[in-house]
Amino acid sequence: MIQVLYFASLRERLGRGDETLDQHPDTLAALRAQLAARGGAWHEVFAGDLRVLAAVNQEMAGEDGAIADGDEIGFFPPVTGG
Amino acid sequence: MDVEIRIQDTPLQPWSEMPPVHAGRPSVGGVVSFVGLMRDSNQGDAVAGMTLEHYPGMTEKALAQIVDEAGQRWQLEAVRVIHRVGELAPQDPIVLVAVASAHRGEAFQACEFIMDYLKTRAPFWKRERTAAGDARWVDARHSDDAAAAAWENGPES
């Protein structure tokens, strides 16, 4: 089981801020593909031209980032603080 | 190096609310501080207000890592980073970065480094409301990516 969080414009596009997934793949790239397969806004966000960053357990992670049971995954657009 | 990092949803008053970052540190020879303010315009439109969202937990970690990296590059006595979240109006301070060091050169460089990395690595997002009543997420700037990337092989003390 993993916790997945969506922030800012992604949360608005997807219509939710978080969810729990009982079944999950073991890399970020595969998780993106799984989410994109939901179609609609999910496909636009995870298989489109948008730049979507990811964090595993609150650390920035690349496409090959590994996912393990109990992890917290965050997806978000490029940051705009400061 | 003493480090203070704070995220707050109440107004930030960088010039009056707290003791200066060099207080009680007689070895400090210089303090460089940067205050980022909300502008009243963006991309040619008048902006009436802004909401700053963040990723609680990750934000604090990311800022701590950025400050830690600055402390490895330069000899710093103290660093303070305070960042607003929530509702802001034009001219409200968004962020304070204050760096105290024995010598000014290290404080100047470390302050700019921390801001450049904060802009590209700390999970904050701005949503602005234009004076015309539209709400929109602010896009990341390529110039911010370039500024952060310049430190990868850039100047060190």
Side-chain angles (χ1 to χ4, degrees), chain A residues 5-12 51 53-60 72-82, chain B residues 53-58 61 65 83 94-95 115 118-127 137-140 145:
Chain A
L5 308 176
Y6 310 99
F7 291 93
S9 55
L10 295 196
R11 184 188 60 247
E12 286 193 351
R51 192 167 159 228
L53 306 182
V56 176
N57 297 327
Q58 304 183 349
E59 300 265 1
M60 290 280 199
E72 175 182 302
I73 313 299
F75 287 111
F76 42 83
V79 303
T80 56
Chain B
E53 176 180 336
H54 75 127
Y55 183 166
M58 181 175 172
K61 279 190 193 178
Q65 286 169 356
H83 203 294
I94 298 172
V95 60
M115 270 310 300
L118 182 156
K119 281 273 192 183
T120 54
R121 299 187 179 195
F124 294 99
W125 302 276
K126 290 173 178 153
R127 183 176 171 79
W137 293 96
V138 174
D139 287 329
D145 287 334

Side-chain angles (χ1 to χ4, degrees), chain A residues 11-22:
Chain A
R11 184 188 60 247
E12 286 193 351
R13 280 169 177 263
L14 300 172
R16 71 169 56 163
D18 65 280
E19 65 180 313
T20 300
L21 295 181
D22 293 328

Side-chain angles (χ1 to χ4, degrees), chain B:
Chain B
M1 179 174 72
D2 290 316
V3 176
E4 177 186 358
I5 290 169
R6 199 196 306 168
I7 312 296
Q8 63 183 47
D9 60 6
T10 52
L12 171 55
Q13 296 171 308
W15 296 279
S16 61
E17 75 175 1
M18 63 197 99
V21 70
H22 63 273
R25 306 177 205 283
S27 59
V28 170
V31 174
V32 171
S33 58
F34 172 83
V35 176
L37 305 169
M38 188 190 153
R39 278 190 308 270
D40 68 353
S41 68
N42 189 29
Q43 297 180 325
D45 297 313
V47 177
M50 175 183 283
T51 305
L52 254 160
E53 176 180 336
H54 75 127
Y55 183 166
M58 181 175 172
T59 314
E60 292 83 352
K61 279 190 193 178
L63 292 174
Q65 286 169 356
I66 292 166
V67 171
D68 185 64
E69 192 167 339
Q72 291 174 28
R73 288 183 178 227
W74 298 282
Q75 192 70 39
L76 308 177
E77 300 285 336
V79 178
R80 176 181 291 160
V81 179
I82 303 178
H83 203 294
R84 274 296 313 275
V85 293
E87 301 296 319
L88 286 91
Q91 291 204 303
D92 281 351
I94 298 172
V95 60
L96 164 73
V97 175
V99 178
S101 184
H103 304 287
R104 73 180 184 284
E106 305 206 80
F108 271 119
Q109 290 195 66
C111 187
E112 186 168 23
F113 171 91
I114 290 168
M115 270 310 300
D116 286 347
Y117 270 37
L118 182 156
K119 281 273 192 183
T120 54
R121 299 187 179 195
F124 294 99
W125 302 276
K126 290 173 178 153
R127 183 176 171 79
E128 62 188 13
R129 293 182 303 282
T130 68
D134 298 321
R136 63 188 184 192
W137 293 96
V138 174
D139 287 329
R141 293 171 191 269
H142 293 302
S143 58
D144 289 333
D145 287 334
W151 291 102
E152 300 296 334
N153 301 302
E156 295 202 24
S157 60

